[in-house]
Amino acid sequence: MKKLLISLTLLVFCVTGFAQTPEEMKAWQDNMTPGKYHKWLAAMNGEWNATVKMWMDPSQPPSESKATTTNEMIMNGLYQRSSHNGEMMGMPFMGESITGYDNAKKEFIATWIDNFGSSIMLMKGQLDEKTNTLTLEGSMLDPASGQDMQVKEVFTVLSETSHKFEMFIVMGDQEMKSMEIVYTKKD
């Protein structure tokens, strides 16, 4: 009898604790429905060739390499998965990002992982619709120091078949460009 009473109490709590008003249900529905910013991401779906430039020392010329990227929308069009393959410092390089627009928070959120580290980078930012540029800011771990360092990514759509990605290390009020990738859509 005691177990039955506890079960009924839990059931009543669950039902009343999660009952939602029509306004709350609409908020959930709006949050799970892809919108114009998800369509903006989806425009970059497909196979891409990439020319990668990396600066290890800003006073030296960048190293250059080639890579490929595949972009696809997942989870009913709410997120874009980008899978990257190439070579870095003479070794095979693989990376993956998940980017989405959070309808409730009104911001883009992106994660990055790759086979050159076990940390996850988290970025947040906004799209400037006039310049077709997404700017994300966040942090990543510097394994040498064990400390987080601030980073900024700037993603600019140049045309339907080309876009540019730039990454900056942020040190106080100064930024050092560490990477530039120019993507061209495969035929």
Side-chain angles (χ1 to χ4, degrees):
M1 184 66 154
K2 187 175 180 181
K3 286 183 182 180
L4 178 61
L5 184 57
I6 291 172
S7 295
L8 287 173
T9 302
L10 285 173
L11 178 62
V12 168
F13 174 75
C14 288
V15 169
T16 58
F18 292 110
Q20 295 185 336
T21 66
E23 293 81 16
E24 291 169 326
M25 290 298 291
K26 182 179 181 329
W28 277 100
Q29 187 65 41
D30 290 347
N31 195 44
M32 64 187 275
T33 303
K36 71 177 186 176
Y37 297 119
H38 302 97
K39 290 177 185 161
W40 183 84
L41 285 170
M44 269 90 51
N45 279 355
E47 303 280 328
W48 299 81
N49 289 314
T51 301
V52 182
K53 293 182 181 178
M54 287 192 60
W55 288 265
M56 301 303 272
D57 178 346
S59 67
Q60 299 297 316
S63 63
E64 290 193 35
S65 62
K66 299 290 183 187
T68 60
T69 297
T70 301
N71 295 331
E72 64 178 331
M73 295 305 286
I74 60 172
M75 306 287 174
N76 299 323
L78 289 170
Y79 307 97
Q80 184 182 69
R81 175 190 295 137
S82 296
S83 300
H84 307 267
N85 289 288
E87 192 174 286
M88 186 181 300
M89 297 182 285
M91 296 181 282
F93 179 82
M94 297 171 289
E96 190 163 295
S97 66
I98 301 291
T99 304
Y101 182 78
D102 187 319
N103 289 329
K105 291 184 176 184
K106 308 287 188 232
E107 66 183 349
F108 282 87
I109 300 176
T111 60
W112 172 261
I113 58 173
D114 60 50
N115 65 317
F116 274 45
S118 59
S119 303
I120 299 174
M121 184 169 34
L122 176 65
M123 311 287 289
K124 297 178 181 183
Q126 298 294 325
L127 174 67
D128 181 335
E129 294 181 63
K130 291 178 185 170
T131 62
N132 220 4
T133 301
L134 174 62
T135 302
L136 301 169
E137 296 179 335
S139 64
M140 63 182 272
L141 180 72
D142 173 9
S145 69
Q147 301 294 312
D148 278 345
M149 59 183 179
Q150 299 305 303
V151 292
K152 180 172 97 172
E153 296 178 350
V154 179
F155 183 89
T156 306
V157 176
L158 304 172
S159 71
E160 288 183 14
T161 59
S162 180
H163 52 272
K164 179 172 65 171
F165 167 89
E166 298 169 285
M167 183 173 176
F168 301 87
I169 306 299
V170 180
M171 298 166 285
D173 61 349
Q174 296 197 357
E175 298 176 352
M176 180 189 87
K177 188 174 189 176
S178 60
M179 185 183 306
E180 177 182 289
I181 305 173
V182 175
Y183 294 95
T184 52
K185 195 153 195 173
K186 291 183 179 181
D187 295 327

